[in-house]
Amino acid sequence: MSKSHLFSPINVGGLELANRIVIAPMCQYSAEDGRMTDWHMMHLGQLSHSGAGLLTIEATAVEPAGRITAGDVGLWDDATQAAIAAVVASIRRWSSMPLAIQLAHAGRKASCDLPWQGGAQLPPDHGRGWQTFGPSTVPFSPKDNPPVALDEAGLERVKNAFEQAARRSARLGFDAIQVHAAHGYLLHSFLSPLSNQRNDEYGGSLENRMRFPLEVFEAVRAAFPADRPVTLRVSATDWIEGGWDVTQTIALAQALEERGCAAINVSSGGLHVDQQIPISPSYQVPLARKVKEAVTIPVVAVGLITEPEQAEAVVATGDADMIGLARTILYDPRWPWHAAAKLQASVEAPPQYWRSQPSGLRGLFKPS
Ligand SMILES: Cc1cc2nc3c(=O)[nH]c(=O)nc-3n(C[C@H](O)[C@H](O)[C@H](O)COP(=O)(O)O)c2cc1C
């Protein structure tokens, strides 16, 4: 029996995960009119054989205007649902890895060019651009087209879109939903006083700025089966004076826990062009630890976690309950196998690959 903390199971809101490695959501900008393509089949297919405890599908827009780029995945109608269904069916046929979907709205950071084409925001009159929405008319960058401030009907529309996407996620058989409230996108932009300059009940005090994200969370929670977890991803700080910070994040995390949130995924930044991020290995782990000290639900730490011993230490020291991997697992899609080998643990692998087990590592692979 392995003594690895990283490879010990965990229960997240009723969902049993085989280990503490979570594949973080990663936009692929390879959808067509919001519909997943065969790229997603290949990309998610290979990650579903990585041995991680959970695979989180990329930021999935709840309405067309909520896409970061025209290549983003969406879940707003039968066609987008059917495209996801085909990919999920293929993954489920060959992998038992639990699947989560991240539901998102890009807000004022929507309508951008593909990252590998520069990633600049495209104006509404551009063929691949559209009008963006936000809490206020403050743009992300002074160069951007100002967003339209969501009025009462607009807030209702967006909340309803999240709710409908949650219902579709349930029908698609997802094991969990993650609500995206990080990286400067719509829900984060309501939280931060730098982007939210409303003077109605959705702006001003911390309670008011949290109101819309919490309403969205509640709508998603109510629309998804009670025995399946809904989690939330937050930026714990804007990394800028006068912005959203970890103290406010703790208040949000506690409010979420009261509302049945099953886990908090702690990221940071993305809201302001002048952010000063002290990037180094595990740089967001101290933020996760502060959140973990304030709630009883599991907390996920993410960001430049690259080494098995580093990941093991995050979990073993109690900094966080799970670790998220993005670039690390893109670079090495068998990272959990290699980590299990180093930490003398075992990992689920498909039988088609069992013959690859290096001699001397007997017991590395276990059947899925
Ligand atoms: C290609 C790519 C796409 C990403 N897309 C998303 C996304 O859809 N949703 C999200 O919350 N974060 C997204 N992120 C951020 C990652 O989930 C993760 O938080 C971040 O990259 C830090 O982890 P890492 O150091 O392991 O890459 C993305 C990151 C990368 C590299």
Side-chain angles (χ1 to χ4, degrees):
M1 191 70 180
S2 165
K3 291 193 173 57
S4 165
H5 293 80
L6 187 64
F7 284 92
S8 63
I10 184 170
N11 188 291
V12 179
L15 179 64
E16 194 67 29
L17 307 185
N19 59 53
R20 312 300 183 94
I21 304 166
V22 171
I23 302 178
M26 282 180 275
C27 283
Q28 297 297 295
Y29 315 102
S30 302
E32 289 163 2
D33 295 324
R35 298 189 302 271
M36 280 190 177
T37 62
D38 44 2
W39 172 262
H40 297 92
M41 196 87 90
M42 293 194 301
H43 164 68
L44 296 168
Q46 49 129 8
L47 291 176
S48 75
H49 297 297
S50 65
L54 179 71
L55 171 53
T56 314
I57 286 172
E58 67 187 87
T60 298
V62 297
E63 65 170 10
R67 291 172 298 168
I68 304 166
T69 77
D72 284 27
V73 170
L75 182 51
W76 57 69
D77 62 7
D78 290 349
T80 49
Q81 183 179 328
I84 295 178
V87 172
V88 168
S90 172
I91 295 173
R92 295 284 197 208
R93 180 167 179 216
W94 299 107
S95 165
S96 63
M97 188 179 289
L99 300 177
I101 184 167
Q102 186 186 50
L103 296 183
H105 193 299
R108 62 188 191 147
K109 290 178 72 177
S111 182
C112 291
D113 214 345
L114 303 181
W116 50 86
Q117 287 169 359
Q121 193 175 63
L122 303 171
D125 58 0
H126 187 284
R128 282 177 287 113
W130 55 87
Q131 177 61 55
T132 62
F133 296 92
S136 311
T137 55
V138 192
F140 171 61
S141 152
K143 291 185 290 221
D144 290 352
N145 173 54
V148 165
L150 286 164
D151 59 10
E152 216 173 291
L155 292 174
E156 206 47 43
R157 183 195 83 223
V158 171
K159 203 195 307 176
N160 191 43
F162 269 98
E163 185 185 330
Q164 293 308 321
R167 285 192 204 292
R168 290 183 184 278
S169 302
R171 290 203 283 278
L172 284 163
F174 281 109
D175 300 296
I177 290 178
Q178 181 182 88
V179 174
H180 196 352
H183 305 161
Y185 298 115
L186 186 69
L187 299 183
H188 181 185
S189 70
F190 269 84
L191 295 172
S192 175
L194 299 174
S195 43
N196 182 344
Q197 298 182 359
R198 299 174 76 97
N199 43 32
D200 61 2
E201 72 267 37
Y202 292 101
S205 66
L206 172 61
E207 189 187 357
N208 281 0
R209 282 179 281 118
M210 294 197 314
R211 193 180 309 281
F212 187 60
L214 288 175
E215 283 182 9
V216 167
F217 176 82
E218 284 176 343
V220 170
R221 182 56 283 179
F224 200 57
D227 60 348
R228 292 190 240 166
V230 178
T231 70
L232 182 133
R233 184 170 233 204
V234 66
S235 279
T237 171
D238 291 340
W239 297 114
I240 182 163
E241 202 61 36
W244 180 255
D245 58 21
V246 75
T247 308
Q248 297 172 81
T249 301
I250 286 169
L252 176 70
Q254 290 171 336
L256 285 162
E257 179 164 21
E258 280 169 21
R259 287 162 177 78
C261 185
I264 310 274
N265 194 299
V266 180
S267 188
S268 74
L271 185 105
H272 202 281
V273 284
D274 293 333
Q275 64 185 10
Q276 296 291 328
I277 307 184
I279 291 180
S280 62
S282 298
Y283 70 104
Q284 292 175 151
V285 171
L287 300 169
R289 177 157 200 122
K290 288 207 172 115
V291 174
K292 185 168 158 54
E293 282 165 1
V295 294
T296 62
I297 51 177
V299 170
V300 185
V302 66
L304 280 184
I305 298 171
T306 55
E307 306 307 318
E309 297 83 354
Q310 179 193 7
E312 175 68 20
V314 170
V315 179
T317 58
D319 282 339
D321 301 283
M322 291 172 273
I323 58 108
L325 301 177
R327 290 164 294 185
T328 299
I329 204 155
L330 277 192
Y331 186 71
D332 177 7
R334 301 278 181 267
W335 191 92
W337 294 15
H338 304 144
K342 266 212 165 152
L343 300 170
Q344 291 163 354
S346 55
V347 72
E348 280 182 19
Q352 294 91 329
Y353 290 175
W354 284 352
R355 284 166 70 186
S356 71
Q357 180 170 264
S359 59
L361 282 178
R362 288 236 305 249
L364 174 61
F365 294 152
K366 55 182 177 190
S368 57

